[in-house]
Amino acid sequence: MKESSTPNNRRKFLQQLLTGSMATLAMPMLGASGEPRQSLVAGDASDERYWEMVKKQFAVPPKLMMMNAANLCPSPYSINELVTETLQHLGQDVSFQYRHQFADKRGMAIEKMSQFVGVGKEEIGIVRNTTEGNSIIVNGLDLKAGDEIILWDQNHASNNIAWEQRARRYGFTIKKITVPASPQSVEELLTPFTKAITPKTRLISFSHVSNTSGIALPAKEICRYARTKNVLTLVDGAQSLGMIDLNLKDMGCDFYTASTHKWLLGPYENGVVYISREQLDKIWPTVISAGWKDTGKTVDEKLCVLGQRNETTPFALPETIDFQLSVGKKVIEERVRKLTAYLKDQIRTKIPQATFVSPLPAELSAGIVIFNLPGKTPAETYQKLYDVYGIACAATGGIRLSPHIYNTLEDIDRLVTALGSLAA
Ligand SMILES: Cc1ncc(COP(=O)(O)O)c(C=O)c1O
């Protein structure tokens, strides 16, 4: 084994990368704008200069602007480099001995993630994405003809279509809930769910935040009401983990799923599934591979033994969570809310002909702003934003913009100016 590949040396090198302390290297590392890289340091979140420094933790070059956190986020340099370095070292040494560290790191990732979302470590499993987490619940729960489940019609395909396929096979009933298109109160979002519950209802499955409208459902109110009726809840958190300051015990859901490559800013193709300890024995494993034991007592042991994975992605999860915590969960949520509120406000005042799909009241949405421009298809605007202005967004439910902490208020100004030109 090469000296630099020994676990101790490697750990030291990675620590240097993570702390940004590259003093031992001769050349300073340059950031996306060509200036020497700056480490993340604590600062005043009400000062825009703090967010300029946060932005410099990411490799997005100045000519590009990422406004698509709802789909995929760039990771900070430290995480990208950790994944890349780990992959390079793995290419040099794929022995069981070298890979032993991956199991330790997975344990650490589970522990950190459980603290991050306020649950027990035995209640967290590592999967590849939200889709896989959803399928673990969809295919693992015993349901039969006569049972009923409630779905939100705005759920992602990995939730609704997966349940529909399962219902076709096993004969249970699906009730789909619609909420008002322009809700004005939390009550209007809650009531359709509570009213749909009957004595046959076994589960409600919903996206915490819709990727097609930006509506944020009152997850805690839905989950807590469902529990009083003995109804289970699956919250699809693809659009909330890493953006909303979450505590799953407080929310009161039974199951929660999310990807780490979206708002968490973490490694690509990685996700988490939460199953409350009270419900674990109700979920059958869908995938079983070598290492699975009937005696598995945790979510990860029982449901997440998925065969050989690219272990370099979960490897970076503890550092991803550390990065989030060093900015602060609450600070991140407040920042994203500030960016989206400013974005809505600027669109309303500078492009008055724009029509919003996302609710304007802050408490009814989170992180995602969707709107339409009269006479333009969302696909056309989405493509021009990228081709002409280097701005990445989505054409999902309208023109979908989802800023994150690597964006600044100045970015929003640039974006709205670009949109104004395209709308003219
Ligand atoms: C609400 C919701 N659920 C699930 C997913 C699927 O995420 P992934 O492709 O990471 O599994 C998405 C993706 O955008 C989503 O928005």
Side-chain angles (χ1 to χ4, degrees):
M1 186 188 285
K2 270 173 49 184
E3 209 213 336
S4 62
S5 297
T6 61
N8 271 347
N9 283 340
R10 226 182 83 64
R11 218 166 284 138
K12 230 193 266 164
F13 177 66
L14 292 175
Q15 259 163 10
Q16 283 170 344
L17 286 177
L18 286 168
T19 56
S21 147
M22 299 303 296
T24 53
L25 297 183
M27 294 283 288
M29 299 280 268
L30 299 183
S33 55
E35 299 159 9
R37 279 219 220 139
Q38 216 180 321
S39 309
L40 181 70
V41 289
D44 176 4
S46 66
D47 186 336
E48 210 45 30
R49 281 172 302 181
Y50 173 72
W51 296 106
E52 290 290 349
M53 183 269 298
V54 170
K55 183 177 182 170
K56 288 186 178 146
Q57 306 306 310
F58 295 84
V60 181
K63 64 176 187 314
L64 291 179
M65 190 192 298
M66 297 299 117
M67 279 282 164
N68 197 17
N71 176 246
L72 197 66
C73 284
S75 298
Y77 283 112
S78 54
I79 304 305
N80 278 341
E81 284 163 354
L82 180 55
V83 172
T84 312
E85 288 290 327
T86 312
L87 193 58
Q88 275 170 0
H89 282 92
L90 182 63
Q92 292 164 6
D93 184 357
V94 294
S95 66
F96 283 116
Q97 288 84 346
Y98 177 69
R99 282 154 56 204
H100 187 68
Q101 62 182 315
F102 293 142
D104 295 345
K105 218 40 194 319
R106 186 182 179 102
M108 202 190 291
I110 289 172
E111 186 153 357
K112 283 208 181 219
M113 181 56 74
S114 66
Q115 288 162 4
F116 190 72
V117 296
V119 303
K121 62 179 185 205
E122 75 285 6
E123 298 176 300
I124 290 286
I126 299 206
V127 290
R128 278 177 294 212
N129 45 35
T130 314
T131 300
E132 193 163 58
N134 284 344
S135 279
I136 284 176
I137 310 302
V138 170
N139 295 306
L141 187 67
D142 268 335
L143 288 168
K144 56 183 185 325
D147 290 337
E148 222 170 66
I149 66 161
I150 295 172
L151 303 178
W152 186 20
D153 62 359
Q154 292 191 25
N155 284 347
H156 189 261
S158 64
N159 196 332
N160 278 4
I161 297 180
W163 282 115
E164 282 159 11
Q165 283 299 302
R166 176 93 209 274
R168 272 176 67 187
R169 187 167 166 202
Y170 290 90
F172 57 86
T173 306
I174 289 176
K175 248 191 205 172
K176 259 198 204 150
I177 298 305
T178 302
V179 299
S182 304
Q184 296 302 313
S185 70
V186 169
E187 205 56 38
E188 284 180 46
L189 297 176
L190 174 63
T191 313
F193 287 91
T194 55
K195 267 194 169 160
I197 295 176
T198 73
K200 292 181 182 166
T201 310
R202 297 280 319 283
L203 171 131
I204 307 176
S205 181
F206 62 94
S207 296
H208 194 173
V209 180
S210 163
N211 60 313
T212 56
S213 72
I215 288 177
L217 287 180
K220 181 169 164 178
E221 286 81 355
I222 296 173
C223 294
R224 291 195 166 197
Y225 183 85
R227 205 163 263 184
T228 66
K229 302 287 176 196
N230 276 327
V231 171
L232 299 170
T233 44
L234 164 57
V235 178
D236 174 330
Q239 303 300 345
S240 62
L241 181 74
M243 189 257 135
I244 293 180
D245 181 5
L246 289 169
N247 180 306
L248 298 182
K249 286 294 173 199
D250 182 54
M251 185 193 287
C253 58
D254 297 290
F255 314 115
Y256 179 89
T257 55
S259 304
T260 67
H261 42 245
K262 297 184 189 278
W263 298 92
L264 197 74
L265 306 169
Y268 305 128
E269 204 196 274
N270 207 69
V272 291
V273 56
Y274 157 75
I275 298 176
S276 76
R277 56 179 73 83
E278 292 79 14
Q279 306 306 336
L280 182 56
D281 59 3
K282 293 208 180 91
I283 306 294
W284 288 89
T286 305
V287 179
I288 290 182
S289 191
W292 186 87
K293 293 189 202 74
D294 200 20
T295 50
K297 292 268 183 294
T298 72
V299 173
D300 203 55
E301 288 166 355
K302 182 176 171 189
L303 303 168
C304 305
V305 181
L306 307 170
Q308 184 63 52
R309 286 201 51 183
N310 176 358
E311 293 156 305
T312 62
T313 47
F315 187 83
L317 208 42
E319 287 77 7
T320 299
I321 295 170
D322 287 344
F323 181 87
Q324 280 256 336
L325 292 174
S326 60
V327 179
K329 285 169 70 177
K330 189 159 175 278
V331 174
I332 292 175
E333 176 169 351
E334 284 169 357
R335 174 65 177 178
V336 175
R337 287 189 180 278
K338 180 172 175 172
L339 291 170
T340 47
Y342 183 64
L343 176 57
K344 284 178 187 170
D345 189 56
Q346 290 300 299
I347 293 174
R348 259 187 333 130
T349 52
K350 307 253 167 74
I351 317 169
Q353 69 273 36
T355 52
F356 282 89
V357 174
S358 301
L360 291 178
E363 69 279 12
L364 307 180
S365 66
I368 297 175
V369 178
I370 304 178
F371 64 99
N372 283 298
L373 295 176
K376 317 270 173 198
T377 65
E380 188 184 340
T381 307
Y382 144 91
Q383 196 58 48
K384 282 203 174 137
L385 270 179
Y386 190 75
D387 291 346
V388 181
Y389 300 98
I391 298 172
C393 69
T396 306
I399 303 159
R400 189 182 75 183
L401 302 168
S402 40
H404 206 336
I405 58 170
Y406 41 74
N407 297 119
T408 57
L409 294 176
E410 201 185 315
D411 285 351
I412 307 271
D413 289 337
R414 249 179 71 202
L415 164 66
V416 175
T417 303
L419 281 170
S421 309
L422 294 179

mmCIF file of all heavy atoms in Angstrom, residues 319-339:
data_model
loop_
_atom_site.group_PDB
_atom_site.id
_atom_site.type_symbol
_atom_site.label_atom_id
_atom_site.label_comp_id
_atom_site.label_asym_id
_atom_site.label_seq_id
_atom_site.Cartn_x
_atom_site.Cartn_y
_atom_site.Cartn_z
ATOM 1 N N GLU A 319 -19.725 14.740 6.760
ATOM 2 C CA GLU A 319 -19.179 16.076 6.495
ATOM 3 C C GLU A 319 -20.250 16.987 5.876
ATOM 4 O O GLU A 319 -20.240 18.193 6.098
ATOM 5 C CB GLU A 319 -17.973 15.987 5.555
ATOM 6 C CG GLU A 319 -16.724 15.421 6.198
ATOM 7 C CD GLU A 319 -16.748 13.894 6.354
ATOM 8 O OE1 GLU A 319 -17.693 13.250 5.834
ATOM 9 O OE2 GLU A 319 -15.821 13.362 6.985
ATOM 10 N N THR A 320 -21.162 16.388 5.100
ATOM 11 C CA THR A 320 -22.257 17.179 4.530
ATOM 12 C C THR A 320 -23.118 17.746 5.656
ATOM 13 O O THR A 320 -23.500 18.921 5.635
ATOM 14 C CB THR A 320 -23.130 16.271 3.621
ATOM 15 O OG1 THR A 320 -22.311 15.778 2.574
ATOM 16 C CG2 THR A 320 -24.302 17.003 3.044
ATOM 17 N N ILE A 321 -23.424 16.904 6.622
ATOM 18 C CA ILE A 321 -24.249 17.362 7.751
ATOM 19 C C ILE A 321 -23.477 18.411 8.563
ATOM 20 O O ILE A 321 -24.041 19.429 8.976
ATOM 21 C CB ILE A 321 -24.697 16.161 8.607
ATOM 22 C CG1 ILE A 321 -25.619 15.271 7.756
ATOM 23 C CG2 ILE A 321 -25.410 16.623 9.881
ATOM 24 C CD1 ILE A 321 -25.955 13.937 8.370
ATOM 25 N N ASP A 322 -22.174 18.191 8.737
ATOM 26 C CA ASP A 322 -21.360 19.194 9.450
ATOM 27 C C ASP A 322 -21.408 20.541 8.740
ATOM 28 O O ASP A 322 -21.483 21.587 9.387
ATOM 29 C CB ASP A 322 -19.896 18.740 9.551
ATOM 30 C CG ASP A 322 -19.729 17.613 10.563
ATOM 31 O OD1 ASP A 322 -20.649 17.397 11.380
ATOM 32 O OD2 ASP A 322 -18.675 16.935 10.516
ATOM 33 N N PHE A 323 -21.358 20.492 7.411
ATOM 34 C CA PHE A 323 -21.398 21.756 6.653
ATOM 35 C C PHE A 323 -22.719 22.479 6.929
ATOM 36 O O PHE A 323 -22.753 23.675 7.210
ATOM 37 C CB PHE A 323 -21.232 21.491 5.150
ATOM 38 C CG PHE A 323 -21.237 22.755 4.324
ATOM 39 C CD1 PHE A 323 -20.060 23.459 4.104
ATOM 40 C CD2 PHE A 323 -22.417 23.270 3.795
ATOM 41 C CE1 PHE A 323 -20.062 24.659 3.367
ATOM 42 C CE2 PHE A 323 -22.433 24.460 3.066
ATOM 43 C CZ PHE A 323 -21.255 25.146 2.847
ATOM 44 N N GLN A 324 -23.809 21.729 6.852
ATOM 45 C CA GLN A 324 -25.131 22.332 7.125
ATOM 46 C C GLN A 324 -25.176 22.919 8.526
ATOM 47 O O GLN A 324 -25.667 24.027 8.726
ATOM 48 C CB GLN A 324 -26.218 21.247 7.025
ATOM 49 C CG GLN A 324 -26.625 20.920 5.620
ATOM 50 C CD GLN A 324 -27.975 21.534 5.249
ATOM 51 O OE1 GLN A 324 -28.803 21.819 6.102
ATOM 52 N NE2 GLN A 324 -28.204 21.742 3.971
ATOM 53 N N LEU A 325 -24.647 22.154 9.482
ATOM 54 C CA LEU A 325 -24.723 22.622 10.868
ATOM 55 C C LEU A 325 -23.828 23.834 11.086
ATOM 56 O O LEU A 325 -24.136 24.686 11.925
ATOM 57 C CB LEU A 325 -24.335 21.489 11.831
ATOM 58 C CG LEU A 325 -25.334 20.328 11.883
ATOM 59 C CD1 LEU A 325 -24.785 19.193 12.750
ATOM 60 C CD2 LEU A 325 -26.694 20.790 12.405
ATOM 61 N N SER A 326 -22.736 23.905 10.309
ATOM 62 C CA SER A 326 -21.856 25.053 10.531
ATOM 63 C C SER A 326 -22.498 26.342 9.999
ATOM 64 O O SER A 326 -22.187 27.420 10.486
ATOM 65 C CB SER A 326 -20.455 24.819 9.963
ATOM 66 O OG SER A 326 -20.564 24.593 8.587
ATOM 67 N N VAL A 327 -23.399 26.219 9.039
ATOM 68 C CA VAL A 327 -24.184 27.409 8.646
ATOM 69 C C VAL A 327 -25.371 27.536 9.609
ATOM 70 O O VAL A 327 -25.678 28.633 10.086
ATOM 71 C CB VAL A 327 -24.672 27.301 7.174
ATOM 72 C CG1 VAL A 327 -25.497 28.514 6.781
ATOM 73 C CG2 VAL A 327 -23.482 27.159 6.233
ATOM 74 N N GLY A 328 -25.994 26.398 9.911
ATOM 75 C CA GLY A 328 -27.106 26.396 10.869
ATOM 76 C C GLY A 328 -28.418 26.058 10.186
ATOM 77 O O GLY A 328 -28.765 26.668 9.174
ATOM 78 N N LYS A 329 -29.135 25.076 10.740
ATOM 79 C CA LYS A 329 -30.397 24.637 10.125
ATOM 80 C C LYS A 329 -31.413 25.775 10.034
ATOM 81 O O LYS A 329 -32.049 25.986 9.012
ATOM 82 C CB LYS A 329 -31.017 23.508 10.959
ATOM 83 C CG LYS A 329 -30.329 22.167 10.809
ATOM 84 C CD LYS A 329 -30.813 21.171 11.844
ATOM 85 C CE LYS A 329 -32.231 20.712 11.633
ATOM 86 N NZ LYS A 329 -32.646 19.690 12.626
ATOM 87 N N LYS A 330 -31.539 26.498 11.150
ATOM 88 C CA LYS A 330 -32.534 27.580 11.196
ATOM 89 C C LYS A 330 -32.107 28.730 10.270
ATOM 90 O O LYS A 330 -32.925 29.307 9.554
ATOM 91 C CB LYS A 330 -32.626 28.076 12.648
ATOM 92 C CG LYS A 330 -33.732 29.034 12.914
ATOM 93 C CD LYS A 330 -34.056 29.043 14.422
ATOM 94 C CE LYS A 330 -35.092 30.092 14.763
ATOM 95 N NZ LYS A 330 -34.513 31.424 14.918
ATOM 96 N N VAL A 331 -30.789 29.000 10.274
ATOM 97 C CA VAL A 331 -30.267 30.091 9.435
ATOM 98 C C VAL A 331 -30.516 29.757 7.959
ATOM 99 O O VAL A 331 -30.890 30.621 7.165
ATOM 100 C CB VAL A 331 -28.756 30.292 9.713
ATOM 101 C CG1 VAL A 331 -28.146 31.302 8.764
ATOM 102 C CG2 VAL A 331 -28.535 30.736 11.155
ATOM 103 N N ILE A 332 -30.324 28.490 7.593
ATOM 104 C CA ILE A 332 -30.541 28.087 6.189
ATOM 105 C C ILE A 332 -32.016 28.280 5.825
ATOM 106 O O ILE A 332 -32.345 28.854 4.786
ATOM 107 C CB ILE A 332 -30.087 26.630 5.951
ATOM 108 C CG1 ILE A 332 -28.569 26.529 6.064
ATOM 109 C CG2 ILE A 332 -30.567 26.111 4.600
ATOM 110 C CD1 ILE A 332 -27.987 25.135 5.960
ATOM 111 N N GLU A 333 -32.895 27.806 6.694
ATOM 112 C CA GLU A 333 -34.324 27.962 6.363
ATOM 113 C C GLU A 333 -34.678 29.447 6.219
ATOM 114 O O GLU A 333 -35.348 29.849 5.259
ATOM 115 C CB GLU A 333 -35.211 27.299 7.429
ATOM 116 C CG GLU A 333 -36.687 27.565 7.113
ATOM 117 C CD GLU A 333 -37.703 26.775 7.915
ATOM 118 O OE1 GLU A 333 -37.310 25.850 8.655
ATOM 119 O OE2 GLU A 333 -38.904 27.099 7.791
ATOM 120 N N GLU A 334 -34.200 30.250 7.153
ATOM 121 C CA GLU A 334 -34.533 31.683 7.083
ATOM 122 C C GLU A 334 -33.970 32.320 5.819
ATOM 123 O O GLU A 334 -34.607 33.153 5.186
ATOM 124 C CB GLU A 334 -33.990 32.409 8.322
ATOM 125 C CG GLU A 334 -34.839 32.128 9.545
ATOM 126 C CD GLU A 334 -34.197 32.601 10.850
ATOM 127 O OE1 GLU A 334 -33.056 33.109 10.822
ATOM 128 O OE2 GLU A 334 -34.840 32.440 11.893
ATOM 129 N N ARG A 335 -32.757 31.898 5.457
ATOM 130 C CA ARG A 335 -32.130 32.472 4.253
ATOM 131 C C ARG A 335 -32.909 32.083 2.989
ATOM 132 O O ARG A 335 -33.190 32.916 2.131
ATOM 133 C CB ARG A 335 -30.680 31.988 4.148
ATOM 134 C CG ARG A 335 -29.980 32.396 2.883
ATOM 135 C CD ARG A 335 -29.808 33.898 2.780
ATOM 136 N NE ARG A 335 -29.071 34.288 1.589
ATOM 137 C CZ ARG A 335 -28.833 35.540 1.258
ATOM 138 N NH1 ARG A 335 -29.283 36.535 2.003
ATOM 139 N NH2 ARG A 335 -28.160 35.832 0.168
ATOM 140 N N VAL A 336 -33.262 30.800 2.882
ATOM 141 C CA VAL A 336 -33.984 30.372 1.674
ATOM 142 C C VAL A 336 -35.341 31.079 1.619
ATOM 143 O O VAL A 336 -35.786 31.530 0.557
ATOM 144 C CB VAL A 336 -34.128 28.830 1.623
ATOM 145 C CG1 VAL A 336 -34.979 28.416 0.432
ATOM 146 C CG2 VAL A 336 -32.759 28.167 1.535
ATOM 147 N N ARG A 337 -35.975 31.230 2.766
ATOM 148 C CA ARG A 337 -37.267 31.936 2.791
ATOM 149 C C ARG A 337 -37.095 33.404 2.393
ATOM 150 O O ARG A 337 -37.939 33.977 1.708
ATOM 151 C CB ARG A 337 -37.930 31.800 4.160
ATOM 152 C CG ARG A 337 -38.477 30.386 4.390
ATOM 153 C CD ARG A 337 -39.322 30.301 5.638
ATOM 154 N NE ARG A 337 -39.825 28.963 5.851
ATOM 155 C CZ ARG A 337 -40.899 28.455 5.246
ATOM 156 N NH1 ARG A 337 -41.579 29.193 4.388
ATOM 157 N NH2 ARG A 337 -41.293 27.222 5.505
ATOM 158 N N LYS A 338 -35.996 33.999 2.832
ATOM 159 C CA LYS A 338 -35.748 35.399 2.460
ATOM 160 C C LYS A 338 -35.538 35.519 0.938
ATOM 161 O O LYS A 338 -36.078 36.406 0.291
ATOM 162 C CB LYS A 338 -34.506 35.911 3.208
ATOM 163 C CG LYS A 338 -34.169 37.344 2.902
ATOM 164 C CD LYS A 338 -33.075 37.850 3.811
ATOM 165 C CE LYS A 338 -32.678 39.271 3.396
ATOM 166 N NZ LYS A 338 -31.770 39.886 4.356
ATOM 167 N N LEU A 339 -34.752 34.579 0.384
ATOM 168 C CA LEU A 339 -34.496 34.613 -1.065
ATOM 169 C C LEU A 339 -35.791 34.427 -1.861
ATOM 170 O O LEU A 339 -36.035 35.132 -2.849
ATOM 171 C CB LEU A 339 -33.486 33.524 -1.460
ATOM 172 C CG LEU A 339 -32.040 33.710 -0.981
ATOM 173 C CD1 LEU A 339 -31.227 32.437 -1.231
ATOM 174 C CD2 LEU A 339 -31.366 34.903 -1.666
#
